Amino acid sequence: MYPSELKYTKDHEWARIEGKTATIGVTHFAQDSLGDVVFIDVPATGTVVKQFAKFGEIESVKAVSDLFSPLGGKVVEINAEAKSNPELVNKDPYGKGWLIKVELSDPGQAGGLMDAGTYKKLINEP
Amino acid sequence: MVPFGGWEMPVQYRQGIISEVRSVRDSAGMFDVSHMGRIEFSGPGAQGFLGTVLSVDMAALGQGRSKYHVICDEQGGIIDDAIVYRLHPDCFLLIINAGNADADLAWLLPRAERHAVSSLRPGPDRGQGEAGAGQAGAPGVAVRADVLTQRVAMIAVQGPKAVETVDRLSAGAASAIRRFSIGSANVAGVPCRLGRTGYTGEDGFEIMPPAERAAELWARLGAEGVAMCGLGARDVLRLEAGLLLHGNDMTVENNPVEAGLERFLFLDGPGYVAAAALKRRLAHGTPRVLVGFKMTGAGIARHGMNILSRIPAPAQAEGRGAGEKPAGERIGSVTSGTHSPTLDAAIGMGYVDRRFSAQGTRFDIDIRGKLVEAEVVPMPFYSRKR
């Protein structure tokens, strides 16, 4: 439920870092707490996002939550499939439910993120 | 589980709200609605009394029939919406919202007492909630109120397969109850009253078993494939069906004319307390009115969001983006809104300045600082297949 190769934030986002690019989404814990996701609001490609700053919103049937970026950089791709089928975030939060891809401004920022073990402790997951 | 009107209620079960909504629209779902207030009013004065406090033609309410209506105060403000059934010639069942139960009873019971007292003969002792017992065997204008909420549970079974499912468990007795009527049947061996009504826009029943047998009935319904559904699904379904929620779409600050409920008003009952105020409203019209809308832009409207008139044309011609323009005039606010899985669209209700209430009118909704367009559409948004 919390892949070991990913990095995590306290606001329940994950990042998959591959060289200078990171794919970003929300964790299993996030989608479970939110309930059925019905709307995703992410910035257009080209937008600059800052580490730990709000970059968008994710909305479920009953509530809306802010999205905070695990890493800073430029948005190079957004997941159009998830935008039109928000249920993908619930069904496959680490795969088809990814939200944005970012070209990193400072790969060193990854040091400020949690590994899977630390994140699982945070959410009281055995 | 969340606190709701003094009760602990589930927002959803394991499957999630969207799955629960689909179950109700495609087959059958059930809701534990035991939290809703239920009061029996009985006695020779009951019909007359209820005619003074409910917007219902009580004399015309047939045996076993129901009427959706509003309970209004003397200023025409909506205290609650409710359903009343005639169980027997002198016995009525009133079903009210859980969140308003205390307030409704505080308003209704003293009026029941006063109605009974108006030509009361002194009686021995007064039971709880009982007004004016009179001497044994003596005719009077007695009105007895019996609050059933703790003793009788209520499970709503709703959906295209609801009636056939309850029928299977009641040897065909359920389907003998007409739409908007109430009857009795043994459902899975549990003696119940069943009202053929609901809050979802589907056919089905509100089944009333004794409280101590409710869990058993719930399990038997589940075994028949009826999906468990919580408050989240309930709210989506009723909104899709264009049904109002007291506390959201109407409060005591609203009158039934602006809420679009004129067709549920009977104002000519003898002594009806809200008659004068509501007749004035009908005569003068209301500056604002409740409308249904569908989002045409990307976004979901929620309770409390401002509704703004569309940006006038000259600003658009200057080529500025829609979200960046100064807002138009505030013309109303959203009272309910959600994403509808059945319609695959975001829908909602809100009060708007009457000048902006015509079908097809477009306006903007301020969704957390971003203006997103919506269009007035007729309600209900969804109607069940007949």
Side-chain angles (χ1 to χ4, degrees):
Chain A
M1 296 226 272
Y2 303 102
S4 50
E5 74 274 13
L6 305 181
K7 294 291 195 193
Y8 298 85
T9 69
K10 66 171 174 55
D11 295 302
H12 314 292
E13 288 90 11
W14 57 262
R16 177 179 289 115
I17 303 170
E18 289 155 321
K20 285 207 68 190
T21 313
T23 308
I24 288 162
V26 298
T27 66
H28 168 81
F29 180 88
Q31 69 78 26
D32 193 48
S33 310
L34 278 165
D36 294 322
V37 177
V38 292
F39 189 72
I40 297 165
D41 188 13
V42 291
T45 54
T47 311
V48 171
V49 299
K50 284 169 64 165
Q51 190 181 35
F52 303 136
K54 174 179 167 179
F55 73 90
E57 289 175 347
I58 185 164
E59 190 161 4
S60 67
V61 181
K62 42 184 184 163
V64 62
S65 273
D66 290 336
L67 291 163
F68 299 95
S69 187
L71 297 157
K74 190 166 70 170
V75 178
V76 293
E77 204 183 331
I78 64 177
N79 187 350
E81 215 198 328
K83 266 202 73 91
S84 36
N85 288 316
E87 290 172 42
L88 287 173
V89 175
N90 298 110
K91 295 199 174 87
D92 191 9
Y94 305 109
K96 292 193 160 186
W98 66 272
L99 299 178
I100 59 172
K101 285 192 171 133
V102 171
E103 190 182 274
L104 301 176
S105 52
D106 176 11
Q109 285 180 343
L113 302 175
M114 287 181 244
D115 63 18
T118 313
Y119 178 68
K120 276 157 58 169
K121 276 205 201 76
L122 177 77
I123 60 173
N124 288 323
E125 177 81 6
Chain B
M1 298 287 283
V2 295
F4 187 87
W7 303 74
E8 282 281 300
M9 303 283 297
V11 173
Q12 65 174 66
Y13 293 85
R14 203 70 201 93
Q15 300 296 326
I17 293 175
I18 291 185
S19 167
E20 292 172 17
V21 170
R22 289 193 176 128
S23 292
V24 171
R25 293 281 178 240
D26 298 340
S27 52
M30 58 186 177
F31 305 82
D32 178 2
V33 288
S34 305
H35 61 317
M36 297 189 70
R38 275 147 294 135
I39 314 123
E40 259 184 33
F41 288 94
S42 56
Q47 176 174 311
F49 162 64
L50 291 174
T52 66
V53 292
L54 311 180
S55 65
V56 177
D57 185 354
M58 292 301 298
L61 181 62
Q63 177 87 356
R65 297 294 288 159
S66 73
K67 199 82 183 59
Y68 172 74
H69 63 279
V70 282
I71 303 175
C72 291
D73 63 18
E74 288 85 349
Q75 289 74 47
I78 306 171
I79 296 173
D80 208 355
D81 64 338
I83 291 185
V84 64
Y85 294 93
R86 185 191 295 267
L87 303 178
H88 305 295
D90 277 350
C91 183
F92 303 86
L93 174 64
L94 184 70
I95 305 190
I96 55 179
N97 284 299
N100 297 327
D102 290 344
D104 291 0
L105 290 174
W107 193 82
L108 287 166
L109 293 181
R111 282 171 174 73
E113 282 223 5
R114 283 207 291 278
H115 185 92
V117 160
S118 58
S119 55
L120 175 69
R121 284 161 53 174
D125 43 329
R126 296 195 170 190
Q128 199 177 17
E130 189 175 314
Q135 302 285 357
V141 285
V143 181
R144 184 191 152 92
D146 195 5
V147 179
L148 304 176
T149 311
Q150 297 286 350
R151 287 160 20 218
V152 181
M154 190 155 72
I155 298 172
V157 182
Q158 303 277 303
K161 297 205 161 41
V163 175
E164 70 187 61
T165 305
V166 181
D167 235 17
R168 267 203 308 280
L169 294 174
S170 62
S175 57
I177 301 169
R178 275 166 59 213
R179 196 110 178 86
F180 304 120
S181 285
I182 190 165
S184 297
N186 276 337
V187 184
V190 180
C192 297
R193 261 194 202 131
L194 295 82
R196 191 158 173 179
T197 183
Y199 193 48
T200 60
E202 300 296 331
D203 200 355
F205 294 98
E206 296 189 336
I207 307 177
M208 289 171 260
E212 65 275 11
R213 301 198 63 187
E216 174 193 338
L217 178 59
W218 181 268
R220 289 294 303 273
L221 288 162
E224 292 292 317
V226 183
M228 300 190 291
C229 302
L231 291 177
R234 190 163 165 79
D235 193 47
V236 172
L237 290 160
R238 67 93 190 166
L239 184 50
E240 289 177 342
L243 300 170
L244 277 58
L245 174 61
H246 194 275
N248 272 30
D249 311 303
M250 49 184 171
T251 68
V252 76
E253 307 294 319
N254 300 112
N255 61 75
V257 180
E258 65 183 344
L261 300 175
E262 298 98 315
R263 66 195 182 286
F264 301 111
L265 297 179
F266 176 76
L267 305 182
D268 296 324
Y272 179 48
V273 300
L278 293 177
K279 283 178 177 170
R280 268 198 307 276
R281 291 285 182 193
L282 284 168
H284 296 143
T286 58
R288 63 183 179 189
V289 67
L290 188 72
V291 299
F293 58 81
K294 201 182 258 198
M295 302 305 298
T296 48
I300 300 174
R302 301 285 185 179
H303 177 83
M305 289 180 176
N306 283 325
I307 299 177
L308 306 159
S309 57
R310 287 290 290 149
I311 310 308
Q316 290 178 359
E318 285 171 65
R320 283 178 281 164
E324 302 158 342
K325 282 186 225 158
E329 182 195 322
R330 181 180 177 280
I331 55 170
S333 76
V334 178
T335 57
S336 289
T338 194
H339 172 82
S340 159
T342 308
L343 303 160
D344 197 20
I347 57 175
M349 296 179 186
Y351 285 98
V352 292
D353 181 316
R354 181 170 281 285
R355 292 172 294 158
F356 296 87
S357 62
Q359 305 298 348
T361 304
R362 294 203 169 196
F363 42 60
D364 284 327
I365 299 185
D366 181 349
I367 299 182
R368 297 180 294 277
K370 204 157 88 163
L371 297 184
V372 185
E373 191 189 78
E375 180 180 313
V376 176
V377 296
M379 294 198 283
F381 304 96
Y382 161 87
S383 290
R384 68 185 172 102
K385 309 156 264 282
R386 309 277 154 152

